Amino acid sequence: MTEITLYNTKTRQKERFEPLDKKNVRMYVCGPTVYDRAHLGNARPVVVFDVLYRLLRHVYGAEHVTYVRNFTDVDDKINATALARKEAGAKGSIEDLVHERSDETIGWYLADMGALGALEPDQMPRATEFIAPMVAMIEDLVAKGHAYAAEGHVLFSVDSWREGYGKLSGRSVDDMIAGARVEVAPYKKNPMDFVLWKPSSDDLPGWDSPWGRGRPGWHIECSAMSHELLGDSFDIHGGGLDLQFPHHENEIAQSKCAHPEGEFARYWMHNEMLQVEGKKMSKSLGNFFTVRDLLDQGVPGEVIRFVFLQTHYRKPMDWTAEKAREAKKTLQRWREQLTGIAPSEPSDLVVESIADDLNVAKVMYHLNVLFLRWMVTKSDGNSLAEYEAEAQFLASAQLVGLLLPEMGSWADQEFDFGLLENRLGQLRDVAIETKDFSEVD
């Protein structure tokens, strides 16, 4: 069996991956808060963990892997959108409008991520479907002395688990207090204590609880959902580096205190952030865009995925228009040669490269070598060798989500360059007469 090594954020080193149960490999990845379209940065963890999911399915068998990625549909931004719709005359309760907005946004998300070739996870729970387990976990934490109620809120007491808090992010509680921006509230015993439950006003969604009508805090959602679907202990927990603290740190604290008999997540994986043209993506800089923006501008989802695969997940990724152009050329060249045969088995070198902490740089190198080898067999006229080379190249590319049949329509719709040349000739003639070369440009 292929040996997989993964960088474990918790131990800060690469480790051999040994699942708790090879017949039930379990992975949880923090999903989106569904209040708007997914921007390009949101798509990076989707592609990163999709590659890992494909590897795990290849090594252990698809029926032996469970991938859970949640939807956070309890959020102030979703509430604000629903309230705005209600004020504009939309019919239905605020809960109905929140659900309607979440449905809409989840649909967008799945369509956009599907366009990038991402497989849908085995389970995609919504936070609103797991309120009862959240309330039960909070009650348990209060009973064990790890949480306390105050002014309609319930807060986790960081001091109750001081020996374990901060190990994931590598910081002491004192350092975090000194350097972190924490919500200041008079009812907190410690500035680092975080909300497990908070009150809801009558005009906001809420659920009954022992502490009054309210809604869960962000962190408890993932702890409750992962426990319900994957158990006290599971193999991999993933997400963006921006979630390492406080979200994942808080997840560990409340989960380990609620279920001390379990390990919670054994391997923690975090992808680095995304930049655009060398700068942090920002609306103020004018370089902020969603995945749908790119798709609507004619950038194929397969091209976006190809660009993502050029950078290791633990390194910052820089999206550039030039990278997209080069990716499109490469994919077009590959797709032009495909004859429609079925894939065989991927190259061992490609599998080993993915298994080496998702070493996509090596994967892309080996894919290019496999393509060139295929082209050589083609020129040699050895039909059997050509067939085998194409089948292996295709299987290797599809293992990382490239050259999938359902993603190839863009290549069939590329410009007819003869027609383009004729059109340019016509525009040039008009430009010479009018002295206006804008259309030619």
Side-chain angles (χ1 to χ4, degrees):
M1 182 174 285
T2 302
E3 181 176 307
I4 299 174
T5 57
L6 301 172
Y7 183 86
N8 191 346
T9 308
K10 184 169 65 175
T11 60
R12 288 162 184 76
Q13 63 183 7
K14 284 171 67 173
E15 298 178 358
R16 180 176 178 177
F17 176 65
E18 291 284 357
L20 288 164
D21 180 357
K22 292 181 180 179
K23 299 293 185 181
N24 185 21
V25 183
R26 286 159 285 173
M27 176 169 70
Y28 185 95
V29 175
C30 290
T33 300
V34 287
Y35 63 89
D36 207 345
R37 289 276 189 184
H39 60 67
L40 194 60
N42 298 144
R44 192 177 191 198
V46 173
V47 173
V48 166
F49 292 102
D50 182 68
V51 171
L52 178 56
Y53 182 41
R54 290 174 182 274
L55 173 68
L56 295 173
R57 286 162 61 96
H58 177 76
V59 173
Y60 296 100
E63 69 277 15
H64 299 307
V65 180
T66 302
Y67 175 19
V68 178
R69 187 184 65 214
N70 73 294
F71 289 114
T72 295
D73 58 349
V74 181
D75 182 78
D76 290 341
K77 291 181 180 179
I78 303 174
N79 294 343
T81 300
L83 285 170
R85 289 184 175 185
K86 191 169 184 64
E87 291 170 0
K91 296 181 179 180
S93 67
I94 187 65
E95 285 85 2
D96 291 337
L97 294 174
V98 164
H99 193 75
E100 180 183 290
R101 176 60 172 175
S102 298
D103 282 348
E104 178 181 46
T105 312
I106 288 171
W108 291 344
Y109 182 85
L110 293 177
D112 292 348
M113 297 308 110
L116 305 187
L119 296 168
E120 289 192 1
D122 299 287
Q123 300 197 54
M124 296 182 285
R126 296 189 187 199
T128 51
E129 299 170 341
F130 289 80
I131 299 297
M134 294 175 202
V135 171
M137 183 177 281
I138 296 170
E139 285 185 293
D140 183 53
L141 288 169
V142 172
K144 290 175 177 175
H146 294 295
Y148 58 94
E151 297 183 24
H153 295 74
V154 182
L155 298 107
F156 182 87
S157 173
V158 170
D159 285 331
S160 75
W161 202 61
R162 203 175 180 94
E163 72 282 0
Y165 196 77
K167 287 185 177 179
L168 182 68
S169 53
R171 292 175 287 181
S172 70
V173 174
D174 292 335
D175 288 341
M176 287 189 277
I177 291 174
R181 290 177 293 177
V182 295
E183 181 185 356
V184 177
Y187 48 78
K188 284 188 175 185
K189 295 179 180 179
N190 181 320
M192 294 302 297
D193 292 350
F194 55 89
V195 172
L196 301 174
W197 188 265
K198 55 187 174 182
S200 286
S201 57
D202 292 339
D203 62 340
L204 290 175
W207 292 264
D208 292 333
S209 81
W211 317 283
R213 185 174 180 276
R215 58 193 192 276
W218 174 32
H219 314 302
I220 197 69
E221 296 175 13
C222 286
S223 284
M225 286 186 282
S226 64
H227 179 261
E228 287 293 305
L229 298 173
L230 299 177
D232 292 345
S233 305
F234 56 92
D235 298 302
I236 300 169
H237 196 315
L241 188 62
D242 56 325
L243 299 180
Q244 183 183 29
F245 182 85
H247 185 51
H248 289 164
E249 196 76 74
N250 292 350
E251 272 191 76
I252 292 171
Q254 61 202 10
S255 294
K256 291 286 285 182
C257 289
H259 307 288
E261 68 281 4
E263 295 183 73
F264 192 41
R266 300 171 68 239
Y267 299 84
W268 286 85
M269 297 178 67
H270 295 90
N271 64 274
E272 258 285 4
M273 297 296 98
L274 177 140
Q275 298 177 325
V276 175
E277 304 290 348
K279 297 179 180 178
K280 182 179 179 180
M281 190 164 62
S282 165
K283 290 182 179 179
S284 62
L285 294 176
N287 65 351
F288 179 95
F289 44 84
T290 67
V291 172
R292 179 51 51 181
D293 289 335
L294 286 177
L295 295 172
D296 289 346
Q297 290 166 17
V299 181
E302 187 173 35
V303 169
I304 298 172
R305 187 182 185 96
F306 190 102
V307 174
F308 280 6
L309 291 176
Q310 291 177 310
T311 305
H312 192 269
Y313 76 94
R314 287 192 285 112
K315 293 182 179 179
M317 195 203 107
D318 189 21
W319 171 273
T320 70
E322 179 59 28
K323 285 181 181 178
R325 282 191 291 269
E326 291 303 314
K328 193 172 185 180
K329 287 180 184 178
T330 299
L331 285 167
Q332 182 69 29
R333 185 167 67 251
W334 288 357
R335 282 195 171 275
E336 283 174 350
Q337 299 298 325
L338 295 177
T339 63
I341 68 167
S344 57
E345 288 296 317
S347 159
D348 288 343
L349 291 173
V350 168
V351 175
E352 290 167 7
S353 297
I354 306 171
D356 180 17
D357 195 33
L358 310 187
N359 192 335
V360 289
K362 276 190 177 180
V363 171
M364 302 309 281
Y365 167 78
H366 289 307
L367 286 179
N368 279 301
V369 170
L370 289 169
F371 179 75
L372 291 174
R373 185 178 300 158
W374 171 29
M375 291 301 98
V376 169
T377 63
K378 214 172 184 182
S379 63
D380 288 345
N382 185 334
S383 57
L384 178 59
E386 179 187 341
Y387 177 91
E388 292 175 344
E390 179 180 357
Q392 185 181 56
F393 167 71
L394 183 58
S396 300
Q398 290 185 353
L399 186 57
V400 290
L402 296 173
L403 302 185
L404 301 169
E406 63 270 23
M407 295 182 71
S409 59
W410 68 270
D412 300 329
Q413 298 169 2
E414 287 297 285
F415 286 119
D416 181 320
F417 287 99
L419 291 175
L420 179 61
E421 188 175 1
N422 290 336
R423 178 61 177 152
L424 284 172
Q426 294 170 1
L427 291 172
R428 185 174 59 248
D429 292 341
V430 172
I432 290 172
E433 290 182 16
T434 63
K435 308 302 181 186
D436 179 3
F437 288 83
S438 59
E439 286 297 316
V440 176
D441 292 338

